[in-house]
C-alpha cells in the first residue's frame, strides 16, 4: 500500500496531546515522532488539526429485526454514516434466533456485513434462548473472535427478554470462558405492567413510552444486574445508562471495588422528555430505550464521564424511518420501533457539548470514543491508540469545523434526523481505515466491503487503568 506521513498535526491520545508526525506503512503505524523520514511517502498535511486514533463504536444495530420491522440502516448505509462521524470500527449485535445457535447468529451477521461494510467491525452475540446447547457453546466464543455477550432485561413478551436465572447462569459461564456480559438494564416485568395500564386508560401518545419506563425501573435493573454479577464473580458492562439513578448504582459498585463498566450515549445529552412530548406524533422520532429523560439528569451524566464511572460513549445507533416504521405506533406507543440514529453524530455531539462546553478534556474525548472502547471491547492495542504496531485508523479532527445537521447531509438511510438544525463545532475532515483514506470533507470514499472482521479478546482491564 506504500507509505503515508501525517505531518504537522497534534497527536491527541487518551494521555494527552503533543506535536508529532505519524508514519504509516502496510496498514500499520510504524513510527510516531519528529523528523521522520518522508522518503517515498505520501505526505498528508495535518497542520491545525488533531491526529486521533480512529473512533470505535461498541454499540450499533445494523440491519437488525425489531418489533416486526428492520432497522433502516443496513451495513452499507450504517457504516457510511459511522465513518462520516470519524468511526473506523464498530461492534454490532448478532441476535440468536430463538431456536438457533450463537454460531448461526454470527454467520447470519457475517452475511449481512459481507460486501457492504465500509469500516472494520466486530460482533457481539445476543442470547435470546439459553438452552443447554447454548450454554455449551459459550466457551467457544473466544476462539471465534467474540468477547462479549448481550442480555436484555427489558422487552418482556419478546424473544429478546431474559429471566434473572438465565442472566445469572450466563454470567457464571462467561466468567469461566473469559467473555464479558453486557446488559440492557430495565425491569421488563414492571414496564410490561405499566404499559398495559397506560394503554387500558387510552394513553397511547409517544410520551407514554417514557412514562412507562421511569428512571426507577432502569436503576432497579442496573442494581440487580450488578449484584448478580457480584455474586457470580463476573465483570459486567451496563450499556446506555440514561439517568442519574442508574448511574448512582454504578458508582456504588465502584465504591465496593466491583468491576463494572458503563456506557452512555449522545441522545441523553442533547434530547429530553420534552422532545417525546412534542405535539401530535412528532415525539415518535425520539422513542428509544431507555427513554429520554428530564434535562436535570445531564449534569450527573457529565460528572459520571468526568469521574470515570462512565467509561465509554457509544451511539446505540438503531435507526428507523418515520414514515412506515415509527408510524407503526400511531395508535399505540408500545408499537413504535425503539431507536435513534447516532453513529454519525456521536463524536461531534461529545466534542461540541463536552470539550467546547468545558466539561471534558480533549484526552478524555479520545478515551471515551476510542481507547476505552478498545480496552473494554477487546480491541486494544490493535485499535484505539496512535502507536507503532497499531492499525493505522486515523481521524484528522478540525476543532474549528462547523456543521449544521440536516436530513439531506446525513450519510445513512433514514428519512429524518433527530439532530435536524443542530450546529456542531468540531468534526472530522479526513478519516483513514488501516491507512486508506475513507472519508474526506463530507464524502465517503471507502469502498463497500472494504471493512474487515476483527477478532476480539477480553482481558478484563481494571476500571482505573482504563481511564484517563
Amino acid at each position: 500500500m506504500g507509505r503515508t506521513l501525517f505531518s504537522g498535526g497534534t497527536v491527541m491520545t487518551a494521555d494527552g496531546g503533543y506535536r508529532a508526525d505519524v508514519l504509516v506503512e502496510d496498514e500499520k503505524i510504524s513510527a510516531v515522532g519528529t523528523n521522520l523520514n518522508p522518503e517515498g511517502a505520501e505526505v498528508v498535511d495535518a497542520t491545525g488539526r488533531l491526529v486521533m486514533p480512529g473512533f470505535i463504536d461498541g454499540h450499533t444495530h445494523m440491519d437488525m429485526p425489531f418489533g416486526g420491522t428492520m432497522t433502516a440502516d443496513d451495513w452499507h448505509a450504517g457504516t457510511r454514516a459511522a465513518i462520516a462521524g470519524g468511526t473506523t470500527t464498530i461492534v454490532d449485535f448478532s441476535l440468536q434466533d430463538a431456536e438457533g445457535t450463537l454460531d448461526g447468529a454470527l454467520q447470519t451477521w457475517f452475511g449481512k456485513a459481507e460486501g457492504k461494510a465500509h469500516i472494520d467491525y466486530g460482533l457481539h452475540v445476543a442470547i435470546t434462548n439459553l438452552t443447554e446447547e447454548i450454554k455449551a457453546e459459550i466457551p467457544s466464543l473466544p476462539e471465534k473472535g467474540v468477547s462479549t455477550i448481550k442480555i436484555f432485561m427489558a422487552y418482556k413478551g419478546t424473544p429478546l427478554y431474559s429471566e434473572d436465572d438465565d442472566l445469572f447462569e450466563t454470567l457464571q459461564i462467561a466468567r469461566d470462558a473469559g467473555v464479558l456480559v453486557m446488559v440492557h438494564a430495565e425491569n421488563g416485568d414492571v414496564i410490561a405492567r405499566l404499559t398495559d395500564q397506560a394503554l387500558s386508560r387510552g394513553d397511547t401518545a409517544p410520551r407514554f413510552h417514557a412514562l412507562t419506563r421511569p428512571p426507577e425501573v432502569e436503576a432497579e435493573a442496573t442494581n440487580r444486574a450488578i449484584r448478580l454479577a457480584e455474586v457470580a464473580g463476573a465483570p459486567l458492562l451496563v450499556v446506555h445508562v440514561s439517568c442519574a439513578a442508574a448511574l448512582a448504582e454504578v458508582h456504588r459498585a465502584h465504591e465496593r471495588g466491583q468491576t463494572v463498566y458503563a456506557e452512555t450515549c449522545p441522545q441523553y445529552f442533547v434530547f429530553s422528555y420534552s422532545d417525546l412530548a412534542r405535539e401530535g406524533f412528532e415525539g415518535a422520532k425520539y422513542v428509544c430505550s431507555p427513554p429520554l429523560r428530564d434535562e436535570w439528569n445531564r449534569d450527573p451524566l457529565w460528572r459520571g464521564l468526568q469521574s470515570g464511572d462512565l467509561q465509554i460513549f457509544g451511539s446505540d445507533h438503531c435507526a428507523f424511518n418515520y414514515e412506515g416504521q415509527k408510524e407503526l405506533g400511531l395508535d399505540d406507543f408500545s408499537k413504535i420501533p425503539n431507536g435513534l440514529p447516532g453513529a454519525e453524530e456521536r463524536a461531534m455531539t461529545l466534542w461540541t457539548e463536552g470539550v467546547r462546553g468545558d466539561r471534558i478534556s480533549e484526552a478524555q474525548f479520545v478515551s471515551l470514543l476510542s481507547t476505552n472502547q478498545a480496552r473494554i471491547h477487546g480491541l486494544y492495542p490493535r485499535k484505539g491508540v496512535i502507536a507503532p504496531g497499531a492499525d493505522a485508523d486515523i481521524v484528522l479532527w478540525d476543532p474549528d469545523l462547523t456543521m449544521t445537521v440536516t436530513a439531506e447531509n446525513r450519510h445513512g438511510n433514514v428519512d429524518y434526523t433527530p439532530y435536524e438544525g443542530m450546529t456542531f463545532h468540531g468534526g472530522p475532515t479526513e478519516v483513514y481505515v488501516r491507512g486508506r483514506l475513507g472519508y474526506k470533507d463530507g464524502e465517503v470514499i471507502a469502498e463497500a466491503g472494504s471493512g474487515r472482521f476483527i477478532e476480539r479478546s477480553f482481558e478484563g482491564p481494571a476500571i482505573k487503568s482504563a481511564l484517563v
Side-chain angles (χ1 to χ4, degrees):
M1 188 181 72
R3 306 171 83 230
T4 304
L5 181 67
F6 296 87
S7 177
T10 299
V11 173
M12 182 56 61
T13 74
D15 297 315
Y18 55 94
R19 294 298 297 273
D21 297 339
V22 179
L23 182 63
V24 171
E25 299 180 89
D26 299 325
E27 300 191 349
K28 299 285 187 180
I29 296 172
S30 61
V32 180
T34 56
N35 301 316
L36 300 181
N37 182 7
E39 183 178 353
E42 175 190 356
V43 178
V44 175
D45 184 6
T47 302
R49 290 175 288 177
L50 302 177
V51 182
M52 300 181 180
F55 306 146
I56 298 164
D57 191 347
H59 195 155
T60 64
H61 300 280
M62 309 299 182
D63 201 6
M64 185 192 78
F66 183 88
T69 188
M70 190 77 69
T71 53
D73 279 341
D74 65 2
W75 280 74
H76 169 66
T79 57
R80 280 176 57 88
I83 195 171
T87 295
T88 55
T89 306
I90 63 171
V91 191
D92 202 79
F93 293 89
S94 54
L95 305 185
Q96 174 205 3
D97 287 336
E99 303 304 322
T101 65
L102 301 183
D103 185 66
L106 292 172
Q107 296 308 317
T108 296
W109 257 256
F110 285 140
K112 291 174 182 285
E114 185 177 3
K116 293 183 178 180
H118 295 267
I119 59 178
D120 289 349
Y121 63 95
L123 291 174
H124 312 288
V125 291
I127 294 177
T128 62
N129 185 13
L130 189 66
T131 63
E132 294 302 317
E133 182 180 11
I134 298 302
K135 295 175 190 177
E137 192 180 4
I138 290 173
S140 70
L141 291 176
E143 65 191 44
K144 298 173 183 176
V146 176
S147 63
T148 37
I149 290 171
K150 175 78 172 286
I151 296 291
F152 292 88
M153 302 171 75
Y155 305 120
K156 186 176 183 179
T158 77
L160 294 178
Y161 175 73
S162 290
E163 299 280 1
D164 285 356
D165 56 346
D166 284 345
L167 169 57
F168 182 69
E169 192 166 5
T170 300
L171 284 162
Q172 290 182 312
I173 299 170
R175 173 201 63 207
D176 295 337
V179 174
L180 176 65
V181 174
M182 52 205 306
V183 291
H184 176 139
E186 290 184 288
N187 188 312
D189 297 277
V190 173
I191 291 169
R193 179 58 59 87
L194 292 175
T195 298
D196 288 344
Q197 292 170 345
L199 293 174
S200 69
R201 295 192 302 266
D203 294 333
T204 62
R207 66 189 179 91
F208 289 100
H209 174 76
L211 297 177
T212 56
R213 307 175 92 100
E216 292 82 2
V217 303
E218 182 184 349
E220 185 280 331
T222 299
N223 177 61
R224 182 158 35 101
I226 288 171
R227 288 300 193 175
L228 291 175
E230 183 179 28
V231 175
L236 182 73
L237 168 57
V238 182
V239 298
H240 48 46
V241 174
S242 75
C243 60
L247 177 59
E249 301 299 339
V250 173
H251 178 73
R252 278 191 277 271
H254 291 165
E255 288 186 321
R256 295 193 300 269
Q258 192 175 344
T259 301
V260 176
Y261 309 109
E263 170 204 70
T264 191
C265 306
Q267 55 266 30
Y268 303 120
F269 293 81
V270 291
F271 307 124
S272 68
Y273 170 75
S274 63
D275 291 298
L276 276 171
R278 290 187 179 200
E279 186 175 352
F281 194 63
E282 194 72 8
K285 295 179 178 179
Y286 299 88
V287 168
C288 61
S289 294
L292 303 177
R293 305 300 188 185
D294 291 331
E295 290 186 17
W296 67 263
N297 287 277
R298 291 180 190 169
D299 282 344
L301 291 178
W302 280 118
R303 290 194 292 272
L305 292 172
Q306 294 159 359
S307 69
D309 281 332
L310 296 166
Q311 299 91 25
I312 51 179
F313 197 79
S315 71
D316 193 10
H317 183 89
C318 189
F320 297 96
N321 287 320
Y322 180 71
E323 293 187 7
Q325 291 191 302
K326 293 287 188 180
E327 288 177 337
L328 291 170
L330 272 170
D331 301 315
D332 181 346
F333 69 86
S334 70
K335 295 180 181 178
I336 300 171
N338 292 197
L340 303 180
E344 187 165 355
E345 297 82 11
R346 176 181 64 129
M348 287 177 277
T349 298
L350 186 62
W351 183 273
T352 300
E353 300 295 325
V355 178
R356 288 183 65 98
D358 291 326
R359 296 181 175 99
I360 61 170
S361 68
E362 295 166 329
Q364 285 173 311
F365 175 85
V366 172
S367 184
L368 291 162
L369 293 180
S370 190
T371 307
N372 282 359
Q373 297 265 3
R375 290 181 186 273
I376 292 169
H377 288 296
L379 292 159
Y380 188 86
R382 179 173 179 178
K383 306 284 188 182
V385 63
I386 299 286
D391 282 357
D393 298 340
I394 293 172
V395 175
L396 298 187
W397 187 272
D398 182 356
D400 297 320
L401 183 149
T402 299
M403 175 185 293
T404 299
V405 176
T406 66
E408 289 71 29
N409 66 21
R410 300 298 82 195
H411 291 80
N413 191 39
V414 193
D415 63 1
Y416 80 100
T417 172
Y419 296 84
E420 186 76 38
M422 187 175 296
T423 298
F424 292 127
H425 300 283
T429 57
E430 296 173 39
V431 181
Y432 294 78
V433 181
R434 285 176 280 104
R436 297 180 186 275
L437 181 63
Y439 171 86
K440 183 174 182 178
D441 297 334
E443 180 183 359
V444 174
I445 299 165
E447 295 181 0
S450 61
R452 297 177 186 168
F453 174 69
I454 305 297
E455 295 187 350
R456 301 176 299 120
S457 177
F458 177 68
E459 296 182 0
I463 291 290
K464 292 303 181 184
S465 69
L467 303 177
V468 175

